[in-house]
């Protein structure tokens, strides 16, 4: 196995005195797709948000591409973080702008502030790179359509292209397919798996459907009440593991 | 969710659920107290404003005389209609410039005055304070102040509207940005974009329809405000109405009011049309 691109140890987070993450350790290597599984409220989203720096972790070390983020500050921290991109369940594109313009915004950190104020001023090389990224997700022909005119699955692929345009080699996806119909979900999962297996990115995705994880992921990480309960290749994942993992959801439904 | 549910137990657990608390009586008392306060405020207000319908009934004859004198409206082209139309155009121009020239200041203060886009706590507080000031001072007061600097005429009217409209539109725009979905902005932040880049590429494009809608609404209001400003010397049709009352030309006054009516309807329809097109 390659050296991990993302290496997280003893991640901890509390909200208002309630422990939400309690010593979570995991790593993601280039070329693999890791699925995060767990019941509602088990801390999957919080884990990804801590890695992205959207939420601040209380304790733990996060290494991105070998760099310990805890030791960095200011500009160098921002630069190191840019290696990781996030894909959201709610997609979070700007509906009024075109697919291409949205993809370009993945590269904002590489543009001068002046040229980034309007898509009119985006540099040519970034437009070209964004077009290449759209091509990689199979949507080059829709580049100049407004995002609001695309289907949910196409929108999520545009969001993946935005992550690519960020030149991220670590992609974290929080329920990337939960809002999509089964066919679109399958397409997006194949795309994410392809990024890992063919392009060597390190991809981690929170999935709410264990069967998607079994079909597309290489490894599954199970979270239960903020603790890691398994971290194993999907091939060795049994029904008992899943039963245990989703016990809280069944309690809530009962 | 599609978590596996094999072997799930569906027996209710009556002993573990907390007891519900009935709150309806307390809530009823709260509503009654609120109603009592509102009634009391109205009694004070009726006394304070000398609100007496009887006076209106007794005085209807004076009003009828006044209205009778203004009928029929004066339709003399050279003396009434032409000057009325010219002045109406001035009123429209005052409203237009008062709206558009306040866009840059309102935008700046809105971005600094919205919690989601302001760079720091103190910039937010400062922008909010400035917006409150411009909103609190009525445009008429601004007009009177500017008249002392630049003299009577439409120009101080435009300046007054710019000031007041900056305060109102800036606040409305700031609220529109705070209410819009913050997801795209968060996505750009997590991609390493700086605050200005986030605002320019996520927040602002998200709120363009709301911004234009509010801009048109303010144009509508500002045209009507510029009528009132005319009454205090800022020119336009408001000034003509004032003059026709002072010279007892009530029939000319009615003509001018009818012209204003047409102007208001046209502006209203126009902005409704643009908003419809925008929503489509
Ligand atoms: N900003 C916050 N403030 C307070 N509590 C929070 C916050 N964010 C998350 N939590 C709590 O942390 C716990 C874990 O939340 P998280 O969103 O990580 O769960 P999840 O595994 O993603 O669940 P789901 O499957 O429902 O998305 C939950 O109990 C949640 O209520
Ligand atoms: Mg979640």
């Amino acid at each position: 196995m390659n050296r991990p691109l993302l290496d997280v140890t003893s991640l901890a987070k509390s909200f208002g005195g309630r422990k939400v993450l309690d010593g979570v350790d995991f790593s993601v290597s280039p070329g693999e797709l890791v699925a995060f599984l767990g019941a509602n409220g088990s801390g999957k989203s919080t884990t990804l948000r801590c890695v992205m720096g959207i939420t601040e972790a209380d304790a733990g070390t996060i290494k991105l591409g070998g760099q310990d983020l805890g030791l960095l500050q200011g500009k160098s921290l921002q630069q190191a973080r840019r290696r990781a991109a996030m894909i959201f369940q709610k997609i979070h594109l700007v509906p009024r702008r075109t697919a291409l313009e949205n993809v370009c915004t993945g590269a904002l950190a590489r543009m001068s502030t002046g040229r980034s104020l309007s898509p009119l001023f985006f540099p040519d090389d970034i437009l070209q790179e964004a077009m290449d990224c759209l091509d990689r997700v199979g949507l080059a022909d829709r580049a100049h359509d407004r995002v609001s005119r695309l289907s949910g699955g196409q929108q999520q692929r545009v969001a993946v292209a935005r992550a690519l345009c960020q030149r991220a080699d670590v992609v974290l996806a929080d329920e990337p397919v939960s809002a999509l119909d089964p066919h679109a979900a399958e397409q997006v999962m194949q795309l994410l798996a392809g990024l890992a297996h063919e392009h060597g990115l390190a991809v981690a995705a929170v999935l709410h459907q264990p069967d998607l994880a079994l079909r597309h992921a290489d490894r599954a990480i199970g979270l239960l009440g903020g603790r890691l309960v398994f971290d194993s290749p999907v091939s060795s994942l049994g029904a008992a593991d899943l039963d245990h993992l989703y016990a809280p959801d069944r309690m809530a439904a009962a | 969710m599609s978590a596996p549910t094999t072997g799930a137990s569906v027996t209710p657990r009556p002993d573990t659920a907390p007891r519900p608390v009935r709150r309806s009586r307390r809530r009823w008392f709260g509503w009654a107290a609120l109603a009592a306060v509102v009634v009391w405020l109205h009694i004070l207000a009726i006394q304070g404003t000398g609100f007496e319908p009887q006076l209106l009934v007794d005085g209807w004859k004076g009003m009828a005389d006044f209205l009778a004198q203004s009928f029929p409206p004066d339709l003399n082209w050279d003396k009434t209609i032409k000057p009325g139309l010219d002045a109406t155009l001035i009123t429209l121009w005052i409203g237009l410039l008062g709206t558009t020239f306040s866009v840059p200041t309102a935008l700046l203060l809105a971005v600094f005055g919205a919690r989601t886009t302001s760079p720091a706590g103190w910039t937010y507080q400062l922008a909010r304070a400035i917006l409150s000031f411009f909103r609190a001072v009525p445009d008429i007061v601004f007009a009177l102040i500017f008249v002392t600097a630049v003299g009577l005429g439409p120009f101080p009217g435009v300046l007054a509207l710019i000031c007041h409209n900056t305060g109102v539109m800036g606040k409305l725009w700031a609220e529109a940005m705070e209410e819009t979905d913050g997801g795209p902005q968060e996505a750009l932040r997590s991609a390493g974009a700086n605050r200005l880049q986030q605002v320019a590429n996520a927040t602002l494009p998200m709120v363009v329809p709301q911004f234009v809608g509010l801009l048109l609404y303010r144009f509508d209001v500002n045209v009507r405000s510029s009528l009132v400003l005319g009454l205090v010397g800022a020119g336009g049709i408001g000034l003509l109405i004032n003059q026709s009352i002072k010279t007892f030309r009530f029939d000319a006054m009615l003509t001018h009011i009818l012209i204003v009516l047409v102007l208001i309807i046209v502006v209203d329809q126009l902005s409704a049309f643009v908003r419809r097109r925008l929503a489509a």
Side-chain angles (χ1 to χ4, degrees):
Chain A
M1 184 59 58
N2 297 314
R3 257 168 41 119
L5 269 176
L6 173 62
D7 196 4
V8 174
T9 43
S10 319
L11 193 66
K13 176 73 191 174
S14 301
F15 284 115
R18 210 163 47 86
K19 271 204 168 147
V20 167
L21 292 180
D22 190 4
V24 173
D25 302 298
F26 70 94
S27 65
V28 189
S29 296
E32 68 170 349
L33 170 57
V34 175
F36 275 86
L37 303 176
N40 291 129
S42 56
K44 307 178 298 290
S45 299
T46 306
T47 303
L48 298 196
R49 293 169 70 86
C50 284
V51 172
M52 289 305 298
I54 299 172
T55 301
E56 203 176 334
D58 295 339
T61 48
I62 300 166
K63 283 188 185 166
L64 252 178
Q67 281 185 294
D68 186 342
L69 298 186
L71 303 178
L72 301 176
Q73 272 185 332
K75 274 249 183 298
S76 49
L77 176 62
Q78 281 175 3
Q79 200 143 20
R81 274 204 196 289
R82 263 185 248 155
R83 300 189 64 164
M86 184 108 170
I87 308 283
F88 302 85
Q89 175 183 357
K90 291 187 179 157
I91 301 175
H92 293 340
L93 297 168
V94 177
R96 296 179 59 81
R97 288 206 172 164
T98 67
L100 186 67
E101 287 164 354
N102 270 282
V103 174
C104 285
T105 60
L108 283 174
R110 304 200 300 277
M111 292 187 222
S112 70
T113 300
R115 301 209 67 165
S116 59
L117 289 182
S118 158
L120 287 175
F121 312 136
F122 288 172
D124 285 337
D125 54 330
I126 291 198
L127 284 171
Q128 187 56 57
E129 186 174 342
M131 197 54 141
D132 295 341
C133 296
L134 267 178
D135 198 33
R136 276 168 74 180
V137 303
L139 284 171
D141 57 326
R142 307 301 298 272
H144 301 293
D145 283 358
R146 278 190 186 192
V147 161
S148 57
R149 295 232 298 265
L150 302 180
S151 73
Q154 290 169 332
Q155 291 183 11
Q156 194 58 290
R157 279 150 67 199
V158 172
V160 172
R162 180 172 65 183
L164 293 175
C165 197
Q166 190 187 324
R167 297 185 186 160
D169 45 16
V170 174
V171 174
L172 307 177
D174 191 2
E175 301 193 32
V177 299
S178 295
L180 306 181
D181 65 79
H183 176 71
E186 199 62 30
Q187 257 187 336
V188 169
M189 283 314 299
Q190 275 171 10
L191 177 64
L192 290 175
L195 292 184
H197 301 147
E198 286 149 39
H199 299 276
L201 274 66
V203 185
V206 173
L207 297 175
H208 249 296
Q209 289 160 286
D211 59 301
L212 277 180
L214 292 177
R215 256 180 300 131
H216 297 282
D218 306 296
R219 197 150 53 86
I221 291 175
L223 282 180
L224 181 61
R227 285 171 179 277
L228 206 127
V229 290
F230 61 74
D231 180 349
S232 51
V234 288
S235 52
S236 67
L237 211 60
D241 292 322
L242 295 177
D243 247 27
H244 178 52
L245 199 60
Y246 290 108
D249 278 355
R250 284 201 305 281
M251 293 281 285
Chain B
M1 298 301 106
S2 67
T5 50
T6 41
S9 120
V10 275
T11 44
R13 295 166 288 149
D15 301 334
T16 57
R19 296 275 133 223
V21 184
R22 200 181 286 282
R23 286 202 321 168
S24 56
R25 208 165 299 154
R26 246 195 348 218
R27 196 176 294 174
W28 182 87
F29 180 77
W31 281 115
L34 183 67
V37 169
V38 171
V39 169
W40 181 62
L41 288 176
H42 277 76
I43 292 173
L44 289 185
I46 286 170
Q47 287 172 349
T49 56
F51 189 89
E52 264 182 81
Q54 192 57 44
L55 285 180
L56 186 62
V57 175
D58 294 344
W60 72 272
K61 209 165 171 320
M63 206 162 66
D65 276 353
F66 178 76
L67 290 178
Q69 284 180 43
S70 57
F71 268 103
D74 177 11
L75 298 180
N76 185 309
W77 174 260
D78 285 328
K79 266 177 62 190
T80 309
I81 297 184
K82 172 94 172 33
L85 290 177
D86 289 344
T88 300
L89 206 58
I90 300 289
T91 295
L92 192 67
W93 294 155
I94 296 174
L96 181 72
L97 294 186
T99 310
T100 54
F101 283 6
S102 61
V103 165
T105 43
L107 186 64
L108 194 72
L109 288 167
V111 168
F112 281 97
R115 228 173 267 109
T116 46
T117 53
S118 199
W122 69 269
T123 53
Y124 167 78
Q125 296 295 347
L126 182 67
R128 283 281 162 151
I130 297 173
L131 286 173
S132 299
F133 170 76
F134 282 122
R135 205 168 61 250
V137 180
D139 38 22
I140 263 203
V141 174
F142 278 121
L144 293 173
I145 294 170
F146 283 121
V147 163
T148 63
V150 300
L152 287 173
F155 183 42
V158 173
L159 294 177
L161 281 185
I162 291 175
C163 288
H164 185 67
N165 193 55
T166 293
V168 180
M169 203 160 68
K171 174 168 187 279
L172 293 174
W173 280 0
E175 277 166 4
M177 286 195 289
E178 284 181 353
E179 280 160 24
T180 195
D181 173 18
Q185 196 187 344
E186 184 178 281
L188 295 193
R189 181 168 58 244
S190 78
N194 66 35
R195 187 55 84 107
L196 190 56
Q197 291 174 325
Q198 294 163 31
V199 172
N201 290 284
T203 320
L204 287 180
M206 293 285 287
V207 293
V208 164
Q210 287 94 312
F211 271 30
V212 176
L214 290 167
L215 183 79
L216 290 169
Y217 159 70
R218 288 307 302 173
F219 174 60
D220 201 33
V221 172
N222 285 336
V223 169
R224 276 176 283 139
S225 293
S226 77
L227 278 168
V228 181
L229 292 182
L231 291 174
V232 301
I237 187 81
L239 185 65
L240 284 197
I241 291 176
N242 196 12
Q243 284 170 349
S244 51
I245 293 176
K246 280 185 179 153
T247 53
F248 302 103
R249 291 182 56 220
F250 297 128
D251 53 349
M253 175 204 73
L254 183 61
T255 310
H256 293 148
I257 287 177
L258 289 175
I259 294 176
V260 167
L261 186 69
V262 172
L263 170 74
I264 297 295
I265 290 174
V266 167
V267 168
D268 189 53
Q269 291 295 312
L270 205 74
S271 78
F273 172 76
V274 175
R275 263 179 284 187
R276 259 202 314 278
R277 287 295 298 267
L278 208 75

